[in-house]
């Protein structure tokens, strides 16, 4: 008879803070962020890696937190939506979403902002804005205000 998988210690750097947590190694990173670290800004939309609501930056690259077992994040540097603002001030992209009305119900917004931030911070990427946001779905609006928000942030960078 197989022994059950035991919790293990995982070390993460999230938004610049170091954490050591004991957790089941196959627990989703999304659940660790939301439940164990109480960083609830990252949202779960589909839970299947299709909608982009749980987009974070994982070692500097956009990644879907619902698809990453926490054991694969051991030693990783992670940025969530909470990590974009500093000193109580919204980031450039967050401010543009606020000003241009790019937020709707709020489920897709953190993932959109994380993808848009990566796009704006990496101008050498071959992606255009629509390609950069292609993995993020919004179910409650057209994308015009979202695109307007990203364009505004890009102009102001």
């Amino acid at each position: 008879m197989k022994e059950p998988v035991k919790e293990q210690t995982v070390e993460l750097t999230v938004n610049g803070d170091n954490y050591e947590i004991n957790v089941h190694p196959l627990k989703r990173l999304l659940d660790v962020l939301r439940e164990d670290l109480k960083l609830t800004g990252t949202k779960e939309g589909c839970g299947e890696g299709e909608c982009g609501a749980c987009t974070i930056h994982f070692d500097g690259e956009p990644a879907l937190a619902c698809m990453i077992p926490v054991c694969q994040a051991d030693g990783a540097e992670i940025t969530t939506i909470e990590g974009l603002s500093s000193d109580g001030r919204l980031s450039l992209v967050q401010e543009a979403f606020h000003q241009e009305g790019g937020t709707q119900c709020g489920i897709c917004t953190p993932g959109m902002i994380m993808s848009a931030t990566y796009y704006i911070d990496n101008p050498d990427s071959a992606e255009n804005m629509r390609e950069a946001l292609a993995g993020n779905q919004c179910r409650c609006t057209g994308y015009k205000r979202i695109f307007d928000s990203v364009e505004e942030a890009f102009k102001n960078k």
Side-chain angles (χ1 to χ4, degrees), residues 6 24 70 90 98 111-112 115 135 137 140 142 144:
K6 296 180 178 155
H24 188 285
V70 72
L90 296 176
H98 176 69
M112 291 279 189
S115 292
Q137 296 177 359
C140 61
K144 180 169 179 8

Side-chain angles (χ1 to χ4, degrees), residues 53-75:
C54 66
T55 302
I56 58 168
H57 294 172
F58 185 93
D59 287 335
E61 299 283 329
L64 302 172
C66 76
M67 300 301 292
I68 302 171
V70 72
C71 63
Q72 290 182 353
D74 192 27

Side-chain angles (χ1 to χ4, degrees), residues 4 15 33 41-42 52 59 80 83 101 106 134 153:
N15 301 330
L33 293 171
T42 303
D59 287 335
T80 68

Side-chain angles (χ1 to χ4, degrees), residues 50-53 107-108 112 133-139 143:
E50 297 292 327
C51 73
I107 296 297
C108 75
M112 291 279 189
L133 298 179
N136 299 83
Q137 296 177 359
C138 176
R139 290 183 168 84
Y143 290 82

Side-chain angles (χ1 to χ4, degrees), residues 70-87:
V70 72
C71 63
Q72 290 182 353
D74 192 27
E77 188 166 319
I78 296 161
T79 304
T80 68
I81 189 76
E82 291 93 345
L84 295 183
S85 61
S86 63
D87 298 325

